[in-house]
Amino acid sequence: MELPRLEPLYQTYREQGFEIIAVESQRDRKRAVKFIAKNQLSYPCLENGDGDAEFIYQTFKVSTYPTSFLIDGEGRILFVHVGFDKGDEENLAREIERVLALD
């Protein structure tokens, strides 16, 4: 599960302007609230819409979860990562550092 492994990255880089916004794809609010509390996630977690209000696919054409985007301050997508395997947080940390160095 990637979301708990993103929390240390958020804590490390948030003072430098790094933000995480997680989007819950299952549309199961009760389950999501329990998961967020259990894992002490401190970054925003949003609920994806359904049908015409389905935001993630409509905006980013995401059909595989998890998918991570690093977006710079100008709104440009600089890095996309599909899936999340053990050790991917180290690769993501390198990309975050690279993006933060650009700003």
Side-chain angles (χ1 to χ4, degrees), residues 55-68:
F55 177 79
I56 297 303
Y57 182 77
Q58 298 293 332
T59 306
F60 298 105
K61 306 301 182 223
V62 170
S63 59
T64 303
Y65 291 90
T67 298
S68 302

Side-chain angles (χ1 to χ4, degrees), residues 41-98:
L41 302 180
S42 63
Y43 49 84
C45 298
L46 307 177
E47 199 173 277
N48 198 13
D50 198 8
D52 288 341
E54 201 283 340
F55 177 79
I56 297 303
Y57 182 77
Q58 298 293 332
T59 306
F60 298 105
K61 306 301 182 223
V62 170
S63 59
T64 303
Y65 291 90
T67 298
S68 302
F69 295 91
L70 284 180
I71 302 172
D72 72 4
E74 301 296 317
R76 295 177 298 229
I77 297 173
L78 302 178
F79 177 78
V80 178
H81 183 80
V82 178
F84 208 86
D85 295 320
K86 186 174 181 174
D88 280 352
E89 56 270 34
E90 287 87 18
N91 296 330
L92 188 52
R94 283 192 292 277
E95 290 298 326
I96 292 167
E97 289 173 4
R98 185 179 66 80

Side-chain angles (χ1 to χ4, degrees), residues 4-5 10 13 16 18-19 26 28 30-31 34 46 48 51 54 61-63 69-70 72-73 75 80 87 99 101:
R5 294 184 1 229
Y10 180 63
Y13 298 108
Q16 297 171 56
F18 176 68
E19 292 291 337
Q26 301 298 312
D28 184 344
K30 187 175 180 179
R31 181 175 162 239
K34 284 182 184 179
L46 307 177
N48 198 13
E54 201 283 340
K61 306 301 182 223
V62 170
S63 59
F69 295 91
L70 284 180
D72 72 4
V80 178
V99 169

